[in-house]
Amino acid sequence: MPDLIVNVDHIATIRQARLAHEPDPVHAAHHAELGGAHGIIVHLREDRRHIQDRDVRLLTQTLGTKLHLEMAATREMQDIALQAKPHIVCLVPEKRQELTTEGGMNLLGRETELQEYLQPLHQADITSSLFIDPDPDQIKAAAEIEAEYIELHTGHFADAETRAGRDRELDRIKEGLALAHNLGLKVNLGHGLTYANIHAFAHMPGVSEFSIGHSIVARASLVGMERAVRDMLDIIRGFC
Ligand code: PXP
């Protein structure tokens, strides 16, 4: 069964709406762990719209599982990652105006630059992941960059409005998974995954982790984080 990694950014979104101290994404992360999460993800954005530097620091000091740090490939973020030492750094594209990450990174033409960017992180024993669309050229570029993981973007599948559109995206993801494995990459999936669509991926062989944020936090706001995580795990287990 793939690991479930819970993104707690939107707990911080509620806190930042009032520039207050609660709810605390660090507390939420511990509740997610109690519910069975295999790890926690936060995205430290350049504009600090939700997760703050202090959250990353406290999470690295207090989590019992593992921390994934999503970040843009900037010098500032590289310094923060080298200090905080999360288990995994996942590089994502970042735009100030976007509501959420809108698609995968474009790695083409950036292979050498990104390989050099990741080198100090690898030397510090931080595992690397690249968030990309399930596009064969991007997957080949990720292998060239020598990232250990890729996270395939499932957002286009989640947003597809027709069955044919969903099937097309599902095929792209399956083919992407197979290609990535042939190239020695481990594969995570994330973006737009919900209680209603996770079944499409739960039985897919070769997925290391699901990265899920919004849907779990939305449910957690009504039933509590532990239960929201347990409910998602029950669904995934039921299809494995
Ligand atoms: N994976 C990546 C790379 C993301 O940027 C996000 C959103 O922060 C997620 C997964 C989680 O997406 P969602 O909140 O739609 O579950």
Side-chain angles (χ1 to χ4, degrees), residues 70-240:
E70 269 178 34
M71 60 186 220
T74 64
R75 279 299 142 223
E76 182 201 14
M77 290 299 154
Q78 190 188 48
D79 288 346
I80 290 171
L82 287 170
Q83 276 210 343
K85 291 219 166 76
H87 291 85
I88 295 189
V89 156
C90 180
L91 296 184
V92 295
E94 205 175 291
K95 288 190 222 141
R96 292 266 160 145
Q97 289 78 15
E98 67 192 356
L99 284 179
T100 180
T101 315
E102 287 170 351
M105 286 181 90
N106 182 8
L107 307 178
L108 306 184
R110 298 186 68 192
E111 290 86 344
T112 309
E113 173 207 337
L114 289 170
Q115 193 176 29
E116 285 172 9
Y117 184 88
L118 290 177
Q119 245 164 31
L121 300 174
H122 289 159
Q123 279 160 7
D125 265 343
I126 300 168
T127 300
S128 60
S129 179
L130 300 168
F131 181 58
I132 55 175
D133 288 332
D135 171 325
D137 290 336
Q138 299 292 344
I139 295 167
K140 286 178 202 155
E144 213 178 300
I145 291 165
E146 295 178 334
E148 284 106 327
Y149 283 83
I150 53 172
E151 181 178 326
L152 291 179
H153 180 223
T154 47
H156 297 307
F157 166 84
D159 292 341
E161 287 177 359
T162 61
R163 178 181 282 259
R166 273 194 298 281
D167 287 349
R168 206 165 37 244
E169 285 302 321
L170 206 53
D171 284 346
R172 286 180 76 210
I173 292 164
K174 280 186 198 153
E175 286 159 18
L177 247 165
L179 173 62
H181 284 153
N182 282 339
L183 295 170
L185 292 160
K186 293 182 206 143
V187 180
N188 301 331
L189 298 181
H191 218 282
L193 298 177
T194 68
Y195 296 87
N197 68 19
I198 192 68
H199 62 87
F201 302 100
H203 62 277
M204 222 178 245
V207 178
S208 297
E209 298 173 350
F210 292 124
S211 163
I212 309 183
H214 186 265
S215 188
I216 290 180
V217 170
R219 187 167 176 77
S221 72
L222 302 177
V223 303
M225 182 58 92
E226 282 183 49
R227 179 159 154 212
V229 172
R230 246 185 275 118
D231 288 349
M232 183 61 84
L233 283 168
D234 284 347
I235 297 177
I236 296 170
R237 243 181 243 118
F239 284 98
C240 282

